[in-house]
Amino acid sequence: MALSDINRAAVISTIEEFDRRGRDAFLQQHGFGRSRAYFLRFDGKLYDSKAIIGVAHGYLEGDWGPLPATQFNGGEATVAETLRTLGFEVQVTAIPPAAAEPGNVSPKGFAYWWVNNKQTHSHEIGGNYLWSPTVRTDGARNEFYENMKRVRPGDVVFAFAGGEIKAVGVCSAPAILAPKPREFGATGDAWSNEGWRLPVEFTRLRRPFRPKEHMEVLQPTLPDKYSPIQPNGNGNQGAYLAAVPIAMADAVIDLLGTRWAEIDFGAISKPTYQAEAFEASEEAVEQELRNRTDLDETEKLQLVKSRRGQGVYRKNLEGFENACRITRVANLRHLRASHIKPWRASTTYEKLDGNNGLLLSPHIDHLFDQGFITFTDEGSLVVSQESDADTMIRWGIEPEGNYGPFRAEQLPYLAFHREFVFKR
């Protein structure tokens, strides 16, 4: 069967399933990521176009089953053309889909967010970043922490602390995994050391804005779920980073008046590349490591070397791995010792643990390190929808290949990579 065999009835059935399950459950059930640019618009709602087409294949007569995401490409020439041929409307947009659902995306394509960071306000605003744990203290998912992964360069962040919006920032790069900032001190002792660090260029307002004084305007615009503030204007306890609906953002901007002109929007046109953010974070972690007094100089040296895939860490890794998993290159001079759980997020033990690593060719190391690919426990390659299909083809990467087996000791690290590094 081919995409051209898909009919309108199958697409309608898929839309109905999407609505029944909800977006996240539907995508997870069928193994698709969120669309990045092409959306099916139907009855005023947006649907992830590639997922709709893939699942619609399973609704055809003959029980052919859904098409897995790895077996076809999305985009204009495939998914969009198929949907338009069937009489559907396809919306092409630069809107980050993870942000689109809360309705917080402006007509210009950037989204609005609200951070309640009373405890860490001075550190984060002064350091031009936001930081949150990846999960709650009980290990459960937290919507406000999940939002850290959804913010994209150019998005606007209102910073609220002490009952006031004291600063407004512009995101300059996607969030990366990074340890809890040492400057937090005793603040957040209960938080895990693993977290999301989001670069945001903040501008402090010369005159803070108090939402409590304008709730007659703001209250009707508050979201029904995951609101950053209460109807009385107080911050919602536990709501760290929340999506701001367009109506609410417009109201805040109107109330800011001339203060809105103070904001430096230069970061919108000058985003930081993610690789640069990785490097800056790891340099900060390395400097903190060098300042530690509980380690002798030999231990510090080995930990620093492990960042570059050298020293004891590489020797430990070469005891388990002998070639690149994908290219099968076995000449060790041409392979990088890549941490599975990022070095910057690893404990002292994990930085040197050979099980926390793979020997990879340089271009494969790049894809793995930045989350464009990952592996299942069984060894199957998983390719992110954010990866470039043409690059994968030119680099000779076979998506359907199996590159296992992995040692049992490697599996917890791979699980971490899939959950927190892989670009879903």
Side-chain angles (χ1 to χ4, degrees), residues 94-374:
I95 294 173
E101 208 164 52
N104 64 335
V105 180
S106 75
K108 294 183 179 180
F110 57 86
Y112 293 99
W113 305 90
W114 181 299
V115 62
N116 291 323
N117 59 352
K118 180 180 179 180
Q119 290 180 285
T120 55
H121 180 85
S122 60
H123 300 302
E124 293 182 318
I125 304 306
N128 287 317
Y129 68 87
L130 297 179
W131 187 91
S132 81
T134 55
V135 294
R136 296 186 336 195
T137 53
D138 62 0
R141 176 183 177 277
N142 182 296
E143 179 70 11
F144 302 108
Y145 300 159
E146 290 290 304
N147 281 338
M148 294 285 282
K149 298 184 289 182
R150 297 168 177 163
V151 185
R152 291 294 181 266
D155 285 2
V156 174
V157 181
F158 301 105
F160 179 88
E164 299 176 324
I165 293 179
K166 297 182 177 182
V168 179
V170 180
C171 174
S172 58
I176 63 170
L177 272 173
K180 182 171 62 180
R182 291 178 66 87
E183 58 264 30
F184 283 9
T187 300
D189 275 346
W191 295 335
S192 166
N193 191 51
E194 295 170 354
W196 299 114
R197 187 180 179 110
L198 181 70
V200 181
E201 297 295 323
F202 282 106
T203 300
R204 295 181 187 272
L205 298 178
R206 296 173 186 170
R207 183 165 51 91
F209 168 72
R210 290 187 63 82
K212 185 182 282 287
E213 298 174 357
H214 305 277
M215 289 314 296
E216 72 281 357
V217 176
L218 293 176
Q219 196 277 333
T221 71
L222 299 182
D224 295 331
K225 192 176 183 181
Y226 302 128
S227 177
I229 58 174
Q230 302 173 43
N232 62 7
N234 293 331
N236 262 335
Q237 187 175 6
Y240 178 67
L241 183 66
V244 177
I246 291 298
M248 183 180 175
D250 287 343
V252 170
I253 292 169
D254 287 343
L255 292 168
L256 284 173
T258 57
R259 285 170 289 191
W260 184 246
E262 300 174 16
I263 313 307
D264 179 11
F265 290 99
I268 291 179
S269 59
K270 297 180 293 185
T272 303
Y273 290 103
Q274 195 169 34
E276 294 175 1
F278 287 165
E279 182 68 17
S281 179
E282 293 206 337
E283 287 178 355
V285 173
E286 181 175 322
Q287 186 57 50
E288 292 176 0
L289 189 155
R290 292 180 183 276
N291 292 335
R292 286 175 58 175
T293 58
D294 59 326
L295 300 173
D296 62 35
E297 291 305 314
T298 300
E299 291 172 315
K300 291 179 183 179
L301 179 60
Q302 289 300 332
L303 290 168
V304 170
K305 283 185 175 182
S306 72
R307 175 188 168 193
R308 299 169 179 81
Q310 300 172 355
V312 170
Y313 166 68
R314 178 152 188 143
K315 290 181 181 178
N316 290 340
L317 175 58
E318 289 178 356
F320 308 132
E321 301 279 314
N322 54 29
C324 173
R325 288 276 175 167
I326 294 179
T327 66
R328 303 313 304 166
V329 169
N331 190 322
L332 297 179
R333 293 181 300 171
H334 303 311
L335 299 178
R336 292 181 179 173
S338 179
H339 281 84
I340 300 173
K341 179 179 180 179
W343 182 89
R344 61 187 175 277
S346 294
T347 65
T348 300
Y349 171 79
E350 292 168 342
K351 282 179 170 63
L352 299 177
D353 183 10
N355 292 299
N356 182 21
L358 298 171
L359 288 175
L360 300 174
S361 297
H363 61 304
I364 305 299
D365 171 70
H366 160 77
L367 295 173
F368 186 75
D369 183 60
Q370 297 203 20
F372 292 107
I373 61 172
T374 191

Side-chain angles (χ1 to χ4, degrees), residues 55-74:
V55 177
H57 192 272
Y59 279 97
L60 298 176
E61 293 183 5
D63 194 26
W64 294 96
L67 279 175
T70 55
Q71 290 190 9
F72 68 107
N73 293 324

Side-chain angles (χ1 to χ4, degrees), residues 386-418:
E386 291 195 23
S387 64
D388 177 58
D390 181 65
T391 298
M392 295 291 174
I393 292 171
R394 292 178 183 275
W395 279 351
I397 298 173
E398 176 54 59
E400 282 80 28
N402 186 283
Y403 304 98
F406 294 106
R407 295 166 50 84
E409 294 83 358
Q410 291 174 299
L411 299 185
Y413 293 120
L414 284 171
F416 185 96
H417 188 274
R418 289 193 298 269

